[in-house]
């Protein structure tokens, strides 16, 4: 095995923290190997004055990193799984999916408001159509403000933008050791997470058997299976992280229980479906839930979202 591996990462503090976490896990198993981080700026990092849904396209936070992989500039890359398009770039594969962190969304408020106690007409910041739709379905009086930027930037907007609260992924705050900022964890019944939220996807060239073999040592099979169910749903719906699609798979008595959701942006229509099945059926469970959502009219909602960009 070679003695140095170059690891691709976005430049944000959270992305680097996640990448360093993966490297530490590998170092414990391979103490003689050196790991170098190559920071890469993606299109999603550059465009901060427009909502993600209006930028459109797939792979806003991964495309440049995938290109670096294909060009041989890096050996593997650490992504937030929820940023990864349902369809993998040709020649690349997921070498490892480590154990999942908390998949829930959470609310942060300097006044310690919860989603229930926010004043009527309160301003809530989020960059996600999925979060916005579910929040206004629960509290139609709330005003959603679009906020972009890394976790630090979005937290600072609580002070600078007159927001009463913001919604973020709990996993990012926990990985940064900032969980004390969390005012309320949102139950998945209220706010279904994004596909793969809380999980990391370690991407590698599919012909690089040496790196794949090393990465398999930190792969968590149980996490990989439930994530594959969620991603199969996303793939079948032809959705991306800029569309209001949610999915959450979890283990129930050695079986996978998967809930999927498609929402209209205004939160007035939220379609949900769920199934339970064996671990061998992980991918087919995702397709099954996607088909149930399509039968309920999800294709019409998704077409409206795409047209409204």
């Amino acid at each position: 095995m070679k003695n140095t591996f170059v690891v691709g990462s976005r430049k944000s503090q959270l992305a680097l923290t996640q990448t360093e976490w993966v490297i530490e896990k590998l170092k414990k198993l391979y103490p003689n190997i050196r790991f170098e981080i190559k920071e890469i700026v993606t299109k999603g990092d550059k465009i901060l004055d427009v909502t993600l849904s209006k930028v459109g396209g797939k792979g806003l936070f991964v495309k440049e990193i995938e290109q670096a992989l294909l060009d041989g500039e890096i050996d593997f890359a650490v992504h937030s799984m929820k940023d990864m398009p349902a369809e993998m770039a040709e020649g690349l594969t997921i070498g490892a999916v480590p154990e999942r962190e908390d998949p829930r969304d959470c609310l942060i408020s300097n006044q310690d408001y919860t989603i229930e106690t926010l004043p009527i007409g309160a301003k809530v910041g989020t960059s996600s159509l999925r979060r916005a739709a579910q929040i206004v379905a629960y509290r139609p009086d709330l005003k959603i403000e679009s906020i972009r930027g890394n976790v630090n930037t979005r937290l600072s907007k609580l002070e600078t933008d007159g927001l009463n609260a913001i919604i973020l992924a709990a996993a990012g705050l926990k990985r940064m050791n900032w969980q004390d900022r969390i005012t309320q964890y949102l139950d998945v019944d209220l706010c279904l997470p994004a596909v793969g939220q809380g999980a990391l996807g370690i991407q590698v060239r599919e012909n690089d058997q040496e790196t794949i073999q090393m990465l398999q040592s930190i792969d968590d099979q149980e996490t990989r299976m439930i994530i594959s169910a969620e991603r199969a749903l996303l793939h079948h719906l032809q959705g991306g992280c800029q569309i209001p699609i949610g999915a959450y798979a979890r283990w129930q008595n050695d079986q996978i229980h998967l809930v999927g959701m498609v929402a209209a942006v205004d939160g007035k229509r939220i379609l949900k479906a769920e199934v339970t099945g064996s671990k061998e059926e992980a991918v087919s469970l995702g397709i099954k839930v996607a088909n149930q959502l399509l039968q309920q009219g999800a294709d019409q909602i998704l077409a409206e979202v795409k047209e409204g960009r």
Side-chain angles (χ1 to χ4, degrees):
M1 187 176 284
K2 61 185 183 181
N3 57 15
T4 302
F5 286 80
V6 182
V7 190
S9 172
R10 288 170 63 195
K11 290 179 78 169
S12 75
Q13 194 177 345
L14 173 58
L16 291 169
T17 298
Q18 291 176 166
T19 300
E20 285 159 5
W21 180 85
V22 168
I23 288 171
E24 283 308 309
K25 282 182 85 73
L26 288 167
K27 275 182 177 173
K28 283 176 185 168
L29 299 166
Y30 302 94
N32 298 322
I33 290 178
R34 284 183 67 243
F35 296 92
E36 297 173 3
I37 297 176
K38 182 179 174 69
E39 297 177 11
I40 299 168
V41 179
T42 68
K43 184 180 179 183
D45 296 313
K46 290 175 186 170
I47 304 170
L48 295 175
D49 56 347
V50 181
T51 58
L52 286 176
S53 57
K54 290 202 170 96
V55 179
K58 295 178 183 176
L60 283 172
F61 294 106
V62 302
K63 207 167 186 182
E64 289 80 1
I65 298 174
E66 288 183 332
Q67 194 57 54
L69 256 179
L70 291 168
D71 293 344
E73 293 172 18
I74 57 176
D75 296 299
F76 63 91
V78 179
H79 302 285
S80 290
M81 189 66 91
K82 69 186 178 72
D83 292 336
M84 300 197 74
E87 217 162 297
M88 189 73 55
E90 197 173 336
L92 301 180
T93 189
I94 299 292
V97 183
E99 191 176 351
R100 190 179 207 170
E101 188 34 287
D102 194 326
R104 293 173 294 179
D105 289 306
C106 62
L107 183 135
I108 300 103
S109 166
N110 288 344
Q111 292 88 21
D112 287 333
Y113 290 126
T114 65
I115 196 72
E116 292 80 16
T117 63
L118 278 164
I120 290 172
K123 290 182 181 179
V124 178
T126 176
S127 60
S128 159
L129 294 179
R130 171 192 58 81
R131 290 174 184 144
Q134 293 181 95
I135 294 301
V136 294
Y138 185 68
R139 284 282 309 269
D141 60 288
L142 296 177
K143 291 183 169 55
I144 302 296
E145 302 276 336
S146 177
I147 55 168
R148 290 286 317 282
N150 58 37
V151 175
N152 319 49
T153 304
R154 282 184 269 175
L155 285 169
S156 71
K157 286 179 185 285
L158 270 173
E159 276 85 26
T160 60
D161 288 24
L163 300 170
N164 299 100
I166 60 171
I167 312 279
L168 294 173
L173 291 163
K174 287 187 168 186
R175 287 201 177 101
M176 300 282 280
N177 210 22
W178 292 348
Q179 56 265 42
D180 59 330
R181 294 295 308 266
I182 296 171
T183 311
Q184 180 189 23
Y185 292 92
L186 300 180
D187 191 277
V188 293
D189 292 333
L190 188 157
C191 197
L192 203 65
V195 168
Q197 186 160 305
L200 301 177
I202 307 179
Q203 199 175 31
V204 62
R205 289 180 294 277
E206 60 186 9
N207 62 358
D208 186 352
Q209 289 307 313
E210 183 181 45
T211 306
I212 289 171
Q213 190 177 345
M214 177 182 69
L215 293 174
Q216 279 173 349
S217 65
I218 61 167
D219 186 60
D220 184 80
Q221 278 296 306
E222 292 198 343
T223 299
R224 184 184 273 269
M225 282 180 200
I226 59 176
I227 295 300
S228 69
E230 294 177 12
R231 284 178 60 76
L233 176 150
L234 185 70
H235 186 260
H236 201 66
L237 291 175
Q238 291 295 299
C241 63
Q242 298 83 49
I243 285 178
I245 295 172
Y248 178 48
R250 62 179 179 267
W251 290 96
Q252 260 183 14
N253 303 322
D254 207 34
Q255 287 197 305
I256 295 171
H257 179 74
L258 173 66
V259 184
M261 177 221 64
V262 172
V265 177
D266 61 8
K268 288 180 179 168
R269 282 177 297 162
I270 291 189
L271 310 178
K272 281 191 177 180
E274 55 190 288
V275 294
T276 302
S278 69
K279 58 188 177 185
E280 290 79 18
E281 298 174 281
V283 170
S284 62
L285 291 176
I287 295 168
K288 198 179 287 186
V289 171
N291 282 329
Q292 287 179 23
L293 291 167
L294 290 169
Q295 284 164 13
Q296 293 179 47
D299 49 350
Q300 184 189 346
I301 291 177
L302 294 174
E304 286 169 8
V305 173
K306 287 171 184 171
E307 283 166 19
R309 280 181 178 163

